[in-house]
Amino acid sequence: MALLGCSSYSYSEEIVFGSTQNAAAAGYNWVMTNVLPQQAGLEVNGVVYRYTTVKKTEDDMIVNLQKLNALGPGYIFRSSDNWSGLPGNTIAKAVPVNNIPIDFWGDGSIEVEGTGDVINASVVYTYQFDPCFDPQSDPSCPGYKDYREYTVEIAEGYDPLNDEFVQQEIERKATLEDEEEKDRERRKMESQKKGRTRLEVALGAVNSALMTAESEAKSADFFALAEIPQNYIVVDIPGGVYNESVRLADAKLPDNARALRNNWAQQLLHEQMIDLQYVNLGN
């Protein structure tokens, strides 16, 4: 089981195979990003573990070796060994897995259910990866593109205005500019509206103040007219009786026909105006 104690690599048909160091060397909980090489396209194809249990034969004990699913709930891998009714001993297992990508492998742990202890644990992962998973990782990889040549091609014959992605970006920026311009116009109109409102309020306050001042002035004039002066001249008006000097031949005065006709005309006009008000209200 030399696989448990060291890392190894082999190369076959452009695929690199390897194994990790002991993930449980520093404790029975570990972070997979510190165990697996962070290689693009890496896949885990097996888990090899070994440990020893210390327990009484009659005690119940289950040992779980498990790995959380980094991209979802639950576990991406879990292997359980039931030691209930068995004496303490050492176990070694190699569990193949179906080339699970590195992104799925969350933190790992060894968990004990029941009574007993686990000692001398070793957990090793076997993996494989294509070194040319990213063609740009090595100039010898198939599909590698020399961007210096690409730059020369651009300089010689590339027209960015004919590029679909460039056109989309130009249209996106133009749309953003239009929206920003509309937003500026909207804010400008709102500001002008608020300015007009404030001006109307200010003019209303001024008019109110002017009306108040005018009312106060008229009131002062009125009271000035009604005020009795403090200094005035006393004039004696001769008294006596003033007898009527004009005498009427007939004590009964006839009615004025013209005045009567005018009164009737005014009354009729008044009633017509009142009728027109009711007609307008009805419409």
Side-chain angles (χ1 to χ4, degrees), residues 135-156:
Q136 295 304 120
S137 61
D138 193 313
S140 63
C141 291
Y144 175 82
K145 183 67 177 180
D146 190 343
Y147 285 103
R148 293 173 298 178
E149 297 177 2
Y150 183 69
T151 304
V152 173
E153 292 176 1
I154 291 177
E156 291 178 353

